[in-house]
Amino acid sequence: MKARVLSLLTAGAVMTGLLTGCSGGTKNVGASGEAGKGYQKIELVMAVNGTDIQIDSRVADKFAELVEEASDGNVTIAVYPNDQLAGGNSTKGIEMIAGGGVDLAAYATCVMAVIDEQLSVATIPWIFDDYQHAREIIDNTGGEYYAERLEAKGITYLGSFHNGFRQITNSKREVRTPEDVKRLKIRVPGSEVYMKFFKTLGADPVAMSWSEVFTAIQQGTIDGQENGICITESAKMDEIQDYLTLWNYTYENDLFVANTEIWESLEQKTRDLLQEKAKEACEWGRDTVEQEEADIVEEFRSEGMTVTELTEEELDAFKEEISGVKQEFIEKYGEKACEAFRIESE
């Protein structure tokens, strides 16, 4: 197993004693002969990008709880939210999981795309009808595609969970037609898919760190943002935005992954346990997002936010408007990727 002490120390966020052991984030202090149902005694480090109340951190915490319980405390997971080990830099966080600076991680595909842009294929607008449709495809051919792409980067795919269908909020007006989006300054992640989508609709998309968005909206620097319902709520966007449109324009998921070299160094029984509990935690995360979104939307309404749910006819107007750019991305990602996610040409 490669030494990773230097990379973790430079991250500046590792507590003394946590990483005392054989290699950086992994602390292996026993073998399979010990008590604890025969599991090796080991501590693994898991990095996530979100705050401690966002779904990626919650899934990681659930995973840690499941693993510790099933192994009688022999296998433990130290979870670091907010990309603490990478100084808050998600790109560096991806480099750390690829290089072995951390053992496990969960990142949105738009973030993982820094190592392979093909990982963003499922963010092409309006390719999934609903969460069940997304589950079905990703749990079969889509997940196989992720696994193949990640394997080439030294990363092992363990599962996927919802980051959420992305909606739009703003402080200017209700959004019901493509015309309503024009000239709105909307914060988006740096993803090419999101940038081109809003430019095509005549908006002014602004790539901005998520930590800056609340203040930027308060100061009028931008008019709104697009994100999943749970993240919109945890970031308190309802306190500063008057309008929410539910249009499920793109789906975003988080990939639950491990560094391959570290993964393969673990005992088979430990790997089996981690794989099983990663899948269980991912399912828990999916269920949680689906259940909480409806409650959050109702809460937004009760607080006076104008919540607009587009009809199929209204959605068709948006789909027609962006059909050209959607086809561009279908051609860019290519036949193999689109076949894996059952994406058909326009």
Side-chain angles (χ1 to χ4, degrees):
M1 190 183 300
K2 68 181 72 175
R4 296 179 290 117
V5 175
L6 181 60
S7 62
L8 289 173
L9 287 178
T10 55
V14 182
M15 297 179 292
T16 301
L18 174 62
L19 302 182
T20 303
C22 68
S23 66
T26 307
K27 185 170 68 174
N28 189 352
V29 293
S32 58
E34 295 183 12
K37 302 180 182 179
Y39 291 105
Q40 65 187 114
K41 193 166 181 64
I42 191 168
E43 185 171 70
L44 301 169
V45 169
M46 182 167 184
V48 293
N49 179 244
T51 67
D52 57 4
I53 61 173
Q54 290 178 350
I55 192 61
D56 51 356
S57 295
R58 294 167 68 191
V59 166
D61 288 339
K62 181 68 173 179
F63 171 68
E65 173 189 318
L66 292 169
V67 169
E68 184 168 8
E69 180 180 1
S71 68
D72 282 348
N74 268 26
V75 184
T76 57
I77 313 295
V79 177
Y80 287 87
N82 289 313
D83 265 319
Q84 293 174 30
L85 302 179
N89 185 323
S90 60
T91 297
K92 185 175 179 182
I94 300 299
E95 293 171 353
M96 289 179 73
I97 186 64
V102 294
D103 308 311
L104 302 154
Y107 283 98
T109 55
C110 68
V111 179
M112 295 288 290
V114 299
I115 58 169
D116 183 351
E117 64 179 10
Q118 293 293 110
L119 295 173
S120 285
V121 60
T123 65
I124 292 176
W126 287 300
I127 65 169
F128 296 132
D129 298 330
D130 51 31
Y131 282 126
Q132 189 56 43
H133 188 203
R135 283 183 186 236
E136 177 190 349
I137 291 176
I138 292 171
D139 286 346
N140 291 285
T141 52
E144 292 170 1
Y145 183 80
Y146 288 139
E148 181 181 342
R149 303 298 302 193
L150 290 167
E151 182 181 10
K153 303 297 180 180
I155 297 173
T156 296
Y157 172 77
L158 301 179
S160 165
F161 56 93
H162 306 319
N163 195 27
F165 279 108
R166 300 179 82 94
Q167 320 298 351
I168 183 174
T169 68
N170 81 96
S171 303
K172 294 288 187 181
R173 53 184 172 268
E174 184 180 20
V175 170
R176 279 194 174 276
T177 69
E179 183 67 27
D180 296 329
V181 181
K182 288 183 177 179
R183 295 174 295 281
L184 287 178
K185 292 183 178 179
I186 302 295
R187 181 270 177 185
V188 299
S191 167
E192 184 183 14
V193 173
Y194 305 149
M195 293 292 286
K196 280 196 172 183
F197 174 86
F198 280 99
K199 284 181 179 178
T200 301
L201 292 176
D204 181 10
V206 180
M208 177 184 295
S209 171
W210 183 242
S211 62
E212 301 172 2
V213 173
F214 192 94
T215 300
I217 290 174
Q218 281 185 313
Q219 296 176 345
T221 306
I222 57 175
D223 300 316
Q225 58 88 39
E226 53 75 59
N227 226 313
I229 290 296
C230 292
I231 294 177
T232 296
E233 188 269 342
S234 66
K236 303 186 184 303
M237 288 294 125
D238 53 305
E239 296 181 3
I240 54 173
Q241 300 268 260
D242 297 320
Y243 303 98
L244 164 67
T245 292
L246 303 175
W247 58 352
N248 291 356
Y249 92 94
T250 184
Y251 172 84
E252 183 69 86
N253 58 321
D254 285 79
L255 304 185
F256 196 124
V257 298
N259 175 271
T260 299
E261 185 175 343
I262 294 164
W263 179 256
E264 293 179 351
S265 75
L266 299 173
E267 294 179 2
Q268 184 63 53
K269 187 172 182 179
T270 301
R271 292 204 301 270
D272 291 344
L273 171 70
L274 294 172
Q275 176 63 83
E276 176 189 340
K277 298 309 175 185
K279 182 177 180 181
E280 189 175 336
C282 285
E283 288 302 299
W284 177 88
R286 287 170 166 179
D287 292 342
T288 298
V289 167
E290 292 177 30
Q291 292 163 8
E292 290 184 353
E293 281 195 355
D295 293 338
I296 292 170
V297 169
E298 287 309 308
E299 184 179 331
F300 286 166
R301 284 194 175 102
S302 68
E303 292 173 350
M305 196 177 197
T306 299
V307 178
T308 304
E309 189 165 2
L310 300 185
T311 65
E312 284 300 319
E313 185 177 355
E314 288 170 327
L315 280 171
D316 285 343
F318 285 97
K319 292 176 182 179
E320 183 177 350
E321 191 82 7
I322 62 96
S323 61
V325 73
K326 181 176 179 179
Q327 183 60 33
E328 283 182 31
F329 282 113
I330 289 173
E331 293 172 4
K332 175 180 178 178
Y333 286 112
E335 182 178 349
K336 185 174 182 179
C338 291
E339 183 177 312
F341 289 88
R342 304 177 201 170
I343 303 169
E344 298 181 357
S345 293
E346 292 293 285

